């Protein structure tokens, strides 16, 4: 497992942008996959985006395609989520996740960072 520390959440108006960061550290500081989930009040936690560290291949939930971009910085062991054209329905706690292997699934989770989009 790795330790994940998120930053960059906050309050923004609809149509605005935010960038979340997630720094990985620990024994395996460069996981196989890193990504983001989110959980809105009263809803289940849902997948947002992921990136395979070695190839840079990424995947997005349909709800955020074309608006969110996930990227990584190899030198900093950090993954980013740039969120544009934010909507009130994007309001949630965003969690950084890491996967050591497909077999293990997402086995490291950050503490979460709040994103609030006002209308």
């Amino acid at each position: 497992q790795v330790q994940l520390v998120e930053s960059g959440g906050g309050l923004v108006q609809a149509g605005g942008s935010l960038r979340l960061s997630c720094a990985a550290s620990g024994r395996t500081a460069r996981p196989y996959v890193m990504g983001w989930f989110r959980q809105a009040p009263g809803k289940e936690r849902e997948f947002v985006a992921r990136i395979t560290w070695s190839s840079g291949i990424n995947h997005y939930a349909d709800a955020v395609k074309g608006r969110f971009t996930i990227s990584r910085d190899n030198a900093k062991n950090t993954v980013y989520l740039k969120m544009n054209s934010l909507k009130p329905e994007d309001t949630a706690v965003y969690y950084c996740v890491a996967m050591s292997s497909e077999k293990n699934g997402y086995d490291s989770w950050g503490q979460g960072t709040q994103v609030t989009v006002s209308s």
Side-chain angles (χ1 to χ4, degrees):
Q1 289 188 347
V2 298
Q3 287 74 52
L4 304 173
V5 178
E6 304 107 330
S7 61
L11 172 65
V12 64
Q13 288 189 333
S17 299
L18 280 176
R19 189 181 77 159
L20 305 183
S21 302
C22 176
S25 62
R27 188 171 66 86
T28 311
R30 190 167 293 178
Y32 168 60
V33 163
M34 288 185 69
W36 298 88
F37 277 68
R38 68 185 182 185
Q39 187 167 22
K43 294 189 177 181
E44 293 188 354
R45 196 171 293 185
E46 64 177 2
F47 167 78
V48 176
R50 59 173 268 177
I51 186 166
T52 302
W53 199 273
S54 59
S55 66
I57 294 174
N58 48 51
H59 298 277
Y60 298 94
D62 288 344
V64 306
K65 274 181 185 176
R67 300 188 298 121
F68 291 11
T69 303
I70 189 169
S71 61
R72 76 215 189 287
D73 184 324
N74 289 340
K76 297 181 179 179
N77 283 344
T78 297
V79 66
Y80 303 98
L81 185 69
K82 182 64 187 303
M83 305 183 292
N84 295 326
S85 302
L86 283 161
K87 306 174 182 180
E89 51 263 44
D90 294 318
T91 295
V93 177
Y94 283 71
Y95 296 91
C96 180
V97 297
M99 182 188 295
S100 57
S101 69
E102 290 285 0
K103 181 183 71 172
N104 292 337
Y106 293 106
D107 48 4
S108 297
W109 290 73
Q111 292 295 316
T113 185
Q114 177 70 46
V115 171
T116 302
V117 184
S118 63
S119 57

